[in-house]
Amino acid sequence: MRIRELRKARRITQLKMALDLDMSQNTISRYEREPGIAELIRIADYFRVSIDYLVGRTDDPVMH
């Protein structure tokens, strides 16, 4: 998963991301390991990248 990579590249803490998405920091930590589809959609929207990019199916972050 690239969630952690994206978060760190943008200098966003787990706590900030959790607050922005109205989640707990523990939830963000868990999603960095294994999110469900609803969470993938929400996180992809948050970072404005495709789900395929999040899960490593492409190196192109742009949604097509």
Side-chain angles (χ1 to χ4, degrees):
M1 288 293 151
R2 290 186 164 146
I3 298 167
R4 183 171 193 256
E5 178 183 316
L6 283 165
R7 182 180 57 74
K8 287 190 165 274
R10 294 181 183 169
R11 296 185 173 152
I12 299 170
T13 65
Q14 283 184 345
L15 181 58
K16 172 154 176 34
M17 186 175 168
L19 291 171
D20 289 346
L21 294 174
D22 194 30
M23 299 177 178
S24 73
Q25 184 175 349
N26 287 339
T27 299
I28 297 300
S29 178
R30 190 172 20 128
Y31 290 165
E32 287 185 351
R33 292 187 305 268
E34 191 174 330
I37 190 67
E39 292 79 29
L40 282 174
I41 292 167
R42 195 168 177 189
I43 293 166
D45 289 347
Y46 180 77
F47 286 114
R48 293 184 176 95
V49 297
S50 71
I51 292 173
D52 283 344
Y53 180 77
L54 278 182
V55 299
R57 291 185 62 193
T58 181
D59 290 329
D60 182 4
V62 178
M63 292 187 272
H64 297 282

